[in-house]
Structure formats: C-alpha cells, structure tokens
C-alpha cells in the first residue's frame, strides 16, 4: 500500500461488530464489482506478483492491518481508522487471543486462538443480509446469544469451514452464500460453492441453557477486558488471565474425559448432537 487510493464513488458503512472480510464482500457486492478489483482499489497487494511487498501479505487481512494499510482503506472508504481497526482481530489482541505482530498470525497455542476460518449463525446472516460478525472468528464463540443457537462450523453442502481464504478475486461476492471454491472447478469465474448458508440447520437452545450462560460469560469477559465473577470477584483479573485459566481447565477435562462420558456430563441436547452431528452443526468445544 504505497500509493494513496482514490475515494470510492459509493460508500458502505460496516454493521456493528462486523468483520473486515465481510465488509469487503458487501462493498464489492454493492459496487457490483469483482472482489479483487475492490481490494486492489483499496491498495491491498496482490499475491502472485514478484516484489518484496508480498513478504508482508498476511494469511488473512481480517487478522490485522498495518497503520499505512488502515489509513489507505480509511481514505478510500471514508471510514475512520478506528472503525477499520475494530473490524480486525487486532481489536481482541491481548484479550481473547494473541497476534504475532510481525507475521500477523493468530497464536493457536494460547487462549484457544483460532488461526483462520469462522463459525456463523444462519439466522444472523439472514437478518443482516449476509454480513459476518467478527466474534464468530474467536475460538471462544460457539453460540449465538441473540437467536439462542449453536453456531455452525461449516457449509452443510461442501462440508468445509467458512472464511478460511478470501473469495475468488474474479467474482462478485454473493452475500450469505458459501464462498469456498467449488468442488468441481469450472472455466467460469466462481464466487464459491454457492450454498445459501442461511438455510444451515443449527441446534436451537432454550432460554437459560448452560451453553448460553457460558457463552454470555465468556463474551462479557472479552468485552470488558476483566473477569470479576466467582473466584475473581475479590481480586479481578485481566481477560487473558481468566481465559487462560478456563482454557487450562477445559483442556485438562477434554484430555482426561473417559470415552462415553460426554453423554452423562454435557447437556443432553448437545451430547446427542455431538454424537450424531448434522453437516455444518457446531458441536465442538471452543478452539477445537
């Protein structure tokens, strides 16, 4: 991002809590322009070309942007730099995950960091017109508090995780559809698998379900940056310390859990879905 990009003729505000890649998809669709052309206009380097600049291309722009990259996108889009940064996982760095600042990778070894990909709530996608939340990229996200559902892990059609890689730069994104490359490549530019992800089945949870209570607590810790409940009420701890404790306890339980014990320890509805999951249904623990 060396040259200053021109401002876009049409602007699109991100939704509250939206991820950067989702906003880029929506912007390309709004402009009726191939995804790659929109990224190039915003100043993002293109893979496959020679030059030292390619050494600094992260695996996923939604992880983090450099200051000059943020400034370029802000100039072209009319958004404030802080709004751009809030759409990247850097927003949660040192709270819910750790990012290697040089390589711009999420460290998977701490805080149940999710290196790539995103879970999703099909009802949220339907309500928002196909826009993706940044929190769905966190290893700590497994349920939707708004619609009281488990999040989906993958597309039920191609059975692959979503948002692991950018959509085709040759196609115009289609909101709410699977952007994974089609199983049978064709000669025509493709936006991906194309399955309508709003039709994905996910497990509906009753109000007050333990999974929803746990999800609310985790998001509260992450949003506030502090844990001040239970053991931490007398001496509040930073979010990353409390989440590290939860990860350690959860990892120990998962490692030592006897075969067949899940059905008696987990809520019956989740245990049943885990033992016989439907395609795309999230039945895994955070970070798995």
């Amino acid at each position: 991002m060396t040259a200053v990009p021109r401002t876009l003729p049409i602007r699109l505000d991100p939704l509250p809590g939206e991820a950067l890649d989702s906003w880029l998809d929506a912007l390309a669709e709004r402009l009726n322009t191939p995804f790659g052309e929109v990224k190039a206009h915003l100043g993002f380097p293109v893979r496959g070309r020679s030059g030292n600049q390619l050494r600094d291309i992260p695996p996923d722009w939604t992880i983090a942007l450099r200051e000059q990259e943020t400034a370029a996108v802000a100039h072209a889009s009319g958004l404030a730099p802080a709004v751009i940064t809030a759409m990247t996982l850097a927003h949660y760095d040192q709270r819910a995950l750790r990012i290697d600042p040089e390589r711009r990778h999420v460290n998977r070894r701490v805080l149940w960091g999710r290196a790539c990909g995103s879970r999703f709530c099909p009802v949220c996608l339907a309500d928002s017109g196909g826009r993706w939340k940044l929190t769905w990229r966190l290893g700590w996200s497994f349920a939707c508090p708004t619609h009281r559902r488990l999040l989906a892990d993958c597309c039920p059609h191609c059975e692959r995780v979503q948002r692991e890689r950018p959509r085709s730069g040759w196609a115009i994104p289609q909101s709410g559809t699977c952007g994974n490359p089609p199983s049978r490549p064709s000669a025509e530019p493709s936006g991906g698998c194309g399955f309508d992800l709003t039709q994905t089945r996910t497990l509906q949870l009753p109000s007050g379900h333990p999974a929803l209570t746990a999800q609310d607590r985790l998001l509260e810790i992450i949003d506030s940056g502090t844990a001040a409940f239970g053991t931490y009420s007398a001496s509040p701890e930073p979010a990353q310390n409390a989440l590290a404790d939860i990860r350690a306890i959860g990892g120990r339980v998962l490692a030592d859990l006897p075969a067949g014990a899940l059905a008696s320890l987990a809520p019956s509805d989740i245990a049943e879905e885990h033992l016989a999951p439907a395609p795309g249904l999230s039945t895994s623990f955070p970070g798995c």
Side-chain angles (χ1 to χ4, degrees):
M1 287 188 176
T2 55
V4 177
R6 295 176 299 164
T7 56
L8 293 168
I10 298 176
R11 298 184 179 183
L12 180 71
D13 290 333
L15 297 181
E18 185 172 12
L20 178 64
D21 59 342
S22 171
W23 174 72
L24 291 172
D25 279 354
L27 182 61
E29 187 173 26
R30 177 70 178 83
L31 293 170
N32 195 35
T33 302
F35 183 69
E37 291 185 22
V38 172
K39 286 181 63 179
H41 184 92
L42 293 173
F44 289 97
V46 179
R47 290 186 180 275
R49 296 179 182 176
S50 61
N52 293 331
Q53 64 171 344
L54 296 186
R55 296 178 182 176
D56 197 37
I57 294 181
D60 186 343
W61 293 105
T62 304
I63 295 175
L65 298 177
R66 305 288 189 211
E67 183 177 353
Q68 67 272 21
E69 295 164 354
T70 301
V73 175
H75 175 79
S77 64
L79 300 175
V83 174
I84 304 295
T85 300
M87 289 192 285
T88 68
L89 288 175
H91 177 69
Y92 293 112
D93 190 26
Q94 304 301 316
R95 283 189 292 154
L97 46 75
R98 301 260 184 89
I99 295 175
D100 181 329
E102 295 302 319
R103 301 175 63 201
R104 289 191 275 185
H105 284 205
V106 174
N107 189 336
R108 296 186 61 185
R109 297 184 178 181
V110 296
L111 298 179
W112 257 329
R114 187 182 181 111
C116 60
S118 176
R119 289 173 175 153
F120 63 95
C121 170
V123 185
C124 283
L125 288 180
D127 289 349
S128 66
R131 312 284 278 270
W132 293 67
K133 294 184 179 181
L134 184 64
T135 54
W136 294 343
R137 286 175 164 266
L138 299 176
W140 300 101
S141 293
F142 51 85
C144 174
T146 302
H147 299 107
R148 302 201 310 274
R149 293 177 175 274
L150 290 183
L151 298 181
D153 273 323
C154 58
C155 168
H157 182 257
C158 69
E159 299 185 356
R160 286 176 287 174
V161 174
Q162 296 298 295
R163 322 303 280 191
E164 285 192 306
R165 62 182 65 184
R167 291 179 183 269
S168 167
W170 300 100
I172 299 173
Q174 297 179 334
S175 296
T177 63
C178 177
N180 285 322
S183 300
R184 296 180 179 178
S186 64
E188 297 296 325
S190 171
C193 161
F195 180 81
D196 181 0
L197 295 174
T198 67
Q199 300 304 306
T200 305
R201 188 187 74 82
T202 54
L203 180 63
Q204 179 80 56
L205 302 173
S207 180
H209 191 282
L212 295 175
T213 301
Q215 183 67 92
D216 286 340
R217 178 69 74 187
L218 289 170
L219 293 179
E220 177 186 336
I221 295 171
I222 293 169
D223 290 340
S224 67
T226 304
F229 66 95
T231 304
Y232 307 106
S233 57
S235 180
E237 287 285 333
Q240 61 178 329
N241 292 353
L243 294 177
D245 291 343
I246 294 172
R247 180 184 186 274
I249 295 172
R252 187 64 178 269
V253 171
L254 291 174
D256 297 339
L257 191 68
L262 180 64
S264 61
L265 296 176
S268 59
D269 50 359
I270 293 182
E272 290 174 4
E273 290 287 351
H274 178 77
L275 296 173
L281 189 64
S282 172
T283 56
S284 57
F285 292 92
C288 295

